[in-house]
Amino acid sequence: MLSKIVGDWRTLLRPLTEDRPPSTAPTAGAAGVARLTSDATATPTSDRLDGYRQALEEHFCITVTDPNGRLLEVNDRFCKVVGYEASELIGQHYELLSSGMRMSETLEEMWETVHAGKTWRGELCDRAKNGADVCFESIVIPRFNRQGEIEQFITISTDITAIREQAQSLQAMIDNFPGGIALIDRELKLIASNRLYRTLLDLPDTLFAGSAPKLETLVRFRAERGDYGPLPVEDAVTTRLKTLLSPVPITTERNEFSGRTLEITCVPVHGGGHLNTYLDVTDRRRAENELKRAHSTLQAFIKHAPAAVAMFDTNMRYIAYTDRWLHDYNLPDKPLIGRSHYEVFPEIPDHWKAKHQRILRGATESSPEEVFKRADGSINIIRWEVRPWHLEDNSIGGMMMLTEEITERKRLEQQLWKLAKQDSLTGLPNRLLFNEQLEALLVSAAENHQRFAVGLIDVDRFKETNDILGHAAGDELLKEVGARLQGALAPYGGVARLGGDEFAVLISMHSDPSALSCAIDAMFAALKPPITLGGVQHRCTISLGLSLFPSDAKGVSELLKNADLALYRAKDLGRDRYQFYVPEMRASFETAYQLHRDIQRALNGGELGLLYQPIVSLEGSQPVCFEALLRWNDPRRGLLAPSDFEEIFDDPKSAADVGKWVIDQAVRQAAAWERSGLEFGRIAINVTSADFALGTFSDLVRSKLREIGVRPERLCIEVTERVFLGRSAVGVAVALQELHDLGVEIALDDFGTGFASLSHLKKLPIDRLKVDRSFVRDMETNPDNMAIVRTIAHLGQSLGIKVTVEGVETRSQLTLLRAMGCDTMQGYLFARPMDGSQVRAFIHRERALSA
């Protein structure tokens, strides 16, 4: 049968024309074939028929089945495609080849069409012998017998398996594309898209039901939903279609209402149509923005970091640097990137270049301080740290240099060091530095089994000299004495000024027993030549007390105490001499005991009293404060200031008793002023180490304020650095902090005289610095004192600590101090110490003057 069909083209067409009963209307397909037959008025030649036969046989798969679907004929091409022999197929039902991939609706539609006598066109999928699916583009033609009944179905198919596989691969690519994808045909219909396209644009599935939707329909839906903003719908649709159908490839970005950022690429397709892709770049853009922000932050940090920082590559070329780098090294404001460090700084020494090479090999080096000489001869002192920086693969990418120009800081530190540890008058070490030196010497001597002597010196009759010749002459005397002692002791030890006319010496004996006697002789010999003061030659002598380590004592306090006892013995013996400590000197404690009895009598007998000296703020809005000054009206010696009976403060119990009495009286006076409606600020009370000795000082002040009913804001506690020396320093710091937290002001007295340490300004709650009167007295003629006062004023302003200047006696001093920024002062220019009953009249007078 098949050979007959293949052999005669008209045989294939006959079922559609001659075999159909006359009463049966031809189908569209049959009519088409019929037209083909009628047009073929000439009988094909044998060659043409052979050509048709060969074309059908080589390029088409042909099967013939009966109406029940049993295979009657198959051609070689079909057998080759499905992998069966013809004998294996003939007589078998076509279900043998069914792959099951075609939907039942499709098969039902096919059978319904062909059984109705019509030609069916569509795709079929068969199963080859090897199990592979084979896809065909098929035409199924019913063949009628002469009675008009269907007797056979002829199926002519084209193998489209390869095309279908390509199509499936393409669809898989579309479905797995990492974004949305849409293919628009020349009729502007969406003929292909993936699920992600709908998801990214939030398009409902109803828009895709049925035939392919038009692109305009989808755009209009989004425009009406407001996805394109407040534009009128028609304008939005027109604008969007213009972008999506761009005649040239374009890429744009849109921020969707969903929060997504989409990168949309529109590409025209050859032959008409467009391919549009939609990538969700939200995370990428967010990461890029974060990276930009981080980069901007890093650049801002690099540029404005408060340190001189520079980064270099492995060839020491600049790749980054801060503004501070340019500033600290006085570099011109022009780019350094790419320039060699050695070109910028040709004066870099070889040892630094060698250091750089060590860093580039992985080392890290630093120095807290190094002097660097510039090419122009200037000197820089820098603190530096140099380390390598690494790439992602952990290889060294170059080096990073952090330097801090500390020349000015070192100068200021040196100045402050002198202020804190060097006596401003004589240039000698002060009490603080002397104590540090003594402690260090004691440790060294104990470890090395060495001997040394501690000596305390008083200038004989210095008070008389000061009173007769004046303070300026007294200062000149002290400077000369200090210089001569320093020169005399240079081979043996050192000298310090502890304050006033009190000096201290350290004399190392090591293995030479005669060193001590030589040092003593040198000191007294140095002071034999007269000292010229005010054009008058003055004979100056000293009293010296000595204590030996380790024979007399093994601790700092005991050594100093023994030397002090020896000094008093030298003075008692007529001065201008030295004395070594001997145990019998303990008898001098009897004198201290007697003094203790006298002060107890004074406490119980009403011999003690307080005077109040105003502390004036030049800001009119600030009330006047007062410093409570202790006086002893001794029946035998008259009215005494604390300096006249300072020995009492060496006795902790007597000193503590006096301190309690002062606090009680000052707080009661504050309460009385408050009750009378008097406007005043604080009352300042001077306290000593003895007040802190028992560890209950803050409790005493707190309970006294509560008992009498005075607010802590009415009280100021003034201390000198003496209270921080010795074993009770920690307890003192705790007590002051507790009082500060309570609201009591803490003032550091005698600042600048050598007693005050900068470390205490850091560690302790100091609210106020009091500049000692000795600096103010002659600051108009003494540039050093002027500089010290100015430095203290600026130091207080920098640290946020208030500054009070003592001893202001002239208007010219007032003018200078105001120019320095000092606005709180105390001195005879304003008022002398007064009784509490005189305070009201003073305040009224000041108020009237201010008005």
Side-chain angles (χ1 to χ4, degrees):
M1 172 71 70
L2 185 58
S3 61
K4 181 182 179 181
I5 294 171
V6 173
D8 189 352
W9 177 252
R10 286 177 298 175
T11 304
L12 179 62
L13 303 178
R14 189 178 297 119
L16 305 179
T17 55
E18 300 174 358
D19 292 352
R20 179 174 295 278
S23 59
T24 305
T27 65
V33 176
R35 284 195 300 272
L36 177 61
T37 304
S38 63
D39 291 340
T41 55
T43 303
T45 65
S46 175
D47 290 341
R48 292 177 65 190
L49 290 176
D50 288 342
Y52 293 155
R53 182 185 308 112
Q54 184 177 356
L56 286 171
E57 185 66 34
E58 289 181 0
H59 299 291
F60 293 93
C61 298
I62 302 174
T63 64
V64 179
T65 59
D66 64 16
N68 296 321
R70 242 185 329 270
L71 288 164
L72 302 176
E73 294 287 343
V74 292
N75 74 339
D76 292 342
R77 174 68 177 164
F78 179 79
C79 292
K80 182 178 179 181
V81 170
V82 298
Y84 284 97
E85 297 292 334
S87 59
E88 295 178 285
L89 296 175
I90 302 302
Q92 298 294 326
H93 196 280
Y94 205 93
E95 287 294 328
L96 171 68
L97 300 171
S98 175
S99 66
M101 292 182 62
R102 200 48 51 181
M103 295 178 59
S104 59
E105 293 85 352
T106 302
L107 295 176
E108 289 176 1
E109 187 259 337
M110 180 196 73
W111 287 116
E112 183 179 346
T113 300
V114 297
H115 279 97
K118 302 177 183 178
T119 300
W120 178 87
R121 291 176 177 82
E123 291 186 15
L124 294 174
C125 188
D126 292 343
R127 179 68 51 79
K129 186 175 181 180
N130 63 4
D133 293 328
V134 182
C135 295
F136 294 103
E137 181 73 32
S138 303
I139 177 171
V140 183
I141 306 170
R143 187 172 186 277
F144 298 90
N145 58 21
R146 294 186 180 277
Q147 289 75 34
E149 298 172 343
I150 298 174
E151 64 177 2
Q152 295 172 348
F153 295 112
I154 301 171
T155 302
I156 302 175
S157 305
T158 300
D159 181 6
I160 60 169
T161 303
I163 296 174
R164 273 291 154 252
E165 288 175 350
Q166 292 175 0
Q168 289 171 358
S169 299
L170 178 60
Q171 188 61 48
M173 291 173 60
I174 292 174
D175 292 340
N176 292 283
F177 184 69
I181 191 168
L183 183 61
I184 316 299
D185 67 10
R186 67 176 61 193
E187 297 177 359
L188 306 185
K189 290 183 179 180
L190 183 69
I191 59 174
S193 66
N194 60 359
R195 169 58 62 180
L196 194 52
Y197 168 77
R198 307 181 191 184
T199 300
L200 292 177
L201 299 186
D202 195 19
L203 297 173
D205 290 341
T206 54
L207 292 176
F208 298 87
S211 59
K214 286 193 172 184
L215 178 63
E216 182 180 350
T217 302
L218 304 179
V219 172
R220 185 173 299 278
F221 172 81
R222 297 194 68 202
E224 292 174 348
R225 191 171 62 183
D227 290 6
Y228 304 128
L231 282 174
V233 171
E234 293 303 326
D235 292 347
V237 171
T238 301
T239 302
R240 197 69 197 137
L241 286 176
K242 184 178 180 181
T243 300
L244 295 175
L245 301 175
S246 170
V248 295
I250 62 170
T251 298
T252 61
E253 278 194 13
R254 273 190 54 79
N255 294 318
E256 298 291 321
F257 282 171
S258 62
R260 291 189 180 99
T261 299
L262 300 182
E263 182 183 87
I264 305 170
T265 300
C266 306
V267 181
V269 179
H270 181 70
H274 282 75
L275 178 65
N276 296 343
T277 60
Y278 300 77
L279 292 178
D280 185 351
V281 295
T282 308
D283 292 339
R284 186 201 306 171
R285 294 294 178 262
R286 184 181 298 117
E288 289 174 353
N289 291 335
E290 288 295 331
L291 184 60
K292 287 179 182 178
R293 280 194 292 270
H295 181 71
S296 298
T297 301
L298 179 59
Q299 287 299 315
F301 172 77
I302 290 175
K303 184 174 180 61
H304 303 296
V309 183
M311 289 183 68
F312 306 89
D313 63 15
T314 53
N315 293 317
M316 291 304 294
R317 291 189 297 261
Y318 282 87
I319 59 176
Y321 55 90
T322 64
D323 286 354
R324 188 63 179 270
W325 181 271
L326 300 177
H327 174 270
D328 281 3
Y329 295 105
N330 300 317
L331 295 174
D333 190 13
K334 61 181 183 180
L336 296 178
I337 303 302
R339 295 181 62 190
S340 169
H341 185 49
Y342 305 135
E343 173 194 344
V344 177
F345 293 99
E347 64 269 26
I348 290 178
D350 290 340
H351 76 273
W352 261 93
K353 294 180 180 179
K355 189 191 307 292
H356 294 163
Q357 293 306 310
R358 291 197 299 273
I359 302 303
L360 292 174
R361 290 193 296 269
T364 295
E365 298 188 21
S366 64
S367 172
E369 180 180 330
E370 183 165 335
V371 177
F372 184 71
K373 187 173 183 179
R374 300 288 304 279
D376 59 4
S378 61
I379 298 295
N380 287 83
I381 304 176
I382 61 173
R383 179 185 68 83
W384 57 265
E385 179 176 338
V386 188
R387 61 175 63 246
W389 60 269
H390 296 82
L391 300 171
E392 291 184 358
D393 61 1
N394 209 35
S395 64
I396 293 177
M399 60 178 285
M400 179 179 292
M401 187 181 301
L402 184 151
T403 70
E404 184 179 2
E405 216 289 345
I406 59 174
T407 307
E408 182 63 21
R409 182 202 298 177
K410 294 303 294 184
R411 187 192 65 78
L412 182 58
E413 284 180 358
Q414 185 66 21
Q415 184 177 352
L416 294 177
W417 182 90
K418 290 180 179 179
L419 184 63
K421 294 189 176 182
Q422 191 176 63
D423 179 60
S424 59
L425 178 64
T426 63
L428 297 174
N430 62 12
R431 181 183 297 271
L432 176 62
L433 183 56
F434 172 77
N435 283 333
E436 292 177 357
Q437 293 172 340
L438 175 55
E439 296 238 12
L441 180 59
L442 187 146
V443 172
S444 174
E447 292 176 351
N448 298 297
H449 306 289
Q450 295 174 341
R451 301 170 62 214
F452 67 89
V454 178
L456 294 180
I457 298 173
D458 274 357
V459 179
D460 295 335
R461 297 179 177 85
F462 175 74
K463 187 176 184 303
E464 290 87 336
T465 303
N466 214 31
D467 292 341
I468 295 170
L469 300 179
H471 294 296
D475 289 346
E476 287 300 318
L477 175 63
L478 293 175
K479 287 194 288 186
E480 183 62 23
V481 169
R484 293 189 182 188
L485 290 175
Q486 187 177 34
L489 286 175
Y492 311 104
V495 60
R497 182 187 175 215
L498 304 185
D501 65 329
E502 185 179 6
F503 293 84
V505 296
L506 293 175
I507 302 170
S508 298
M509 292 182 280
H510 301 299
S511 58
D512 183 5
S514 65
L516 179 56
S517 61
C518 291
I520 295 172
D521 292 342
M523 284 189 286
F524 280 89
L527 291 172
K528 279 187 178 181
I531 297 174
T532 302
L533 299 174
V536 178
Q537 289 190 334
H538 178 80
R539 175 82 163 85
C540 178
T541 61
I542 58 171
S543 298
L544 168 64
L546 295 153
S547 176
L548 303 180
F549 174 89
S551 57
D552 292 339
K554 297 182 179 179
V556 171
S557 178
E558 291 78 8
L559 284 168
L560 291 174
K561 189 181 296 182
N562 292 346
D564 201 30
L565 290 173
L567 171 62
Y568 280 119
R569 175 61 60 87
K571 293 171 72 173
D572 288 343
L573 294 176
R575 300 182 175 88
D576 190 17
R577 68 188 62 238
Y578 65 90
Q579 285 290 313
F580 286 98
Y581 168 78
V582 292
E584 290 77 10
M585 291 178 181
R586 293 292 177 180
S588 62
F589 283 131
E590 295 179 3
T591 303
Y593 177 73
Q594 182 61 45
L595 184 59
H596 169 71
R597 292 181 60 186
D598 290 345
I599 201 66
Q600 291 300 322
R601 184 198 70 230
L603 286 167
N604 298 324
E607 298 175 12
L608 297 182
L610 294 180
L611 298 180
Y612 299 90
Q613 185 173 27
I615 303 172
V616 178
S617 173
L618 300 185
E619 295 180 8
S621 59
Q622 298 296 322
V624 179
C625 297
F626 294 88
E627 180 178 1
L629 301 174
L630 178 63
R631 294 295 184 265
W632 181 4
N633 190 11
D634 184 70
R636 293 183 292 108
R637 293 179 289 175
L639 189 63
L640 304 176
S643 59
D644 298 320
F645 54 93
E646 60 185 359
E647 297 88 348
I648 189 64
F649 299 105
D650 294 332
D651 177 57
K653 185 179 186 310
S654 296
D657 289 342
V658 172
K660 291 178 183 177
W661 182 89
V662 170
I663 291 171
D664 179 82
Q665 293 300 306
V667 173
R668 291 186 185 278
Q669 183 64 75
W673 286 344
E674 281 190 333
R675 285 194 301 271
S676 66
L678 191 64
E679 295 184 7
F680 68 100
R682 298 178 185 262
I683 294 181
I685 302 173
N686 291 279
V687 297
T688 66
S689 301
D691 295 302
F692 296 96
L694 299 178
T696 58
F697 180 70
S698 61
D699 294 333
L700 168 67
V701 175
R702 185 186 297 107
S703 62
K704 187 60 65 176
L705 290 171
R706 187 167 51 247
E707 172 193 340
I708 300 175
V710 173
R711 291 176 290 117
E713 291 76 12
R714 290 295 191 191
L715 196 62
C716 172
I717 296 297
E718 292 189 8
V719 296
T720 66
E721 198 191 40
R722 290 178 184 270
V723 303
F724 306 124
L725 304 178
R727 300 173 182 174
S728 61
V730 175
V732 172
V734 171
L736 292 180
Q737 186 65 57
E738 291 174 349
L739 292 174
H740 176 79
D741 294 342
L742 188 65
V744 175
E745 185 180 78
I746 308 300
L748 187 56
D749 203 3
D750 295 338
F751 191 78
T753 61
F755 293 92
S757 169
L758 292 180
S759 63
H760 298 139
L761 300 185
K762 289 179 57 179
K763 298 177 182 178
L764 299 171
I766 304 301
D767 302 302
R768 183 180 299 275
L769 301 177
K770 299 196 73 175
V771 181
D772 190 72
R773 68 184 69 249
S774 62
F775 298 121
V776 179
R777 183 184 307 121
D778 62 347
M779 68 177 184
E780 295 168 272
T781 58
N782 187 328
D784 291 338
N785 282 354
M786 176 78 76
I788 290 171
V789 175
R790 182 182 294 110
T791 299
I792 296 173
H794 290 172
L795 179 65
Q797 293 165 8
S798 299
L799 299 178
I801 299 176
K802 292 171 282 190
V803 177
T804 295
V805 183
E806 298 178 316
V808 181
E809 298 182 358
T810 67
R811 290 196 172 274
S812 58
Q813 292 172 345
L814 172 63
T815 301
L816 287 172
L817 292 170
R818 293 195 70 173
M820 296 177 194
C822 303
D823 59 2
T824 306
M825 304 181 194
Q826 179 180 355
Y828 288 176
L829 178 63
F830 306 102
R832 290 178 177 272
M834 63 189 70
D835 188 75
S837 60
Q838 299 173 303
V839 166
R840 178 178 295 276
F842 171 79
I843 290 179
H844 288 168
R845 184 166 61 254
E846 284 295 306
R847 190 179 302 158
L849 288 173
S850 298

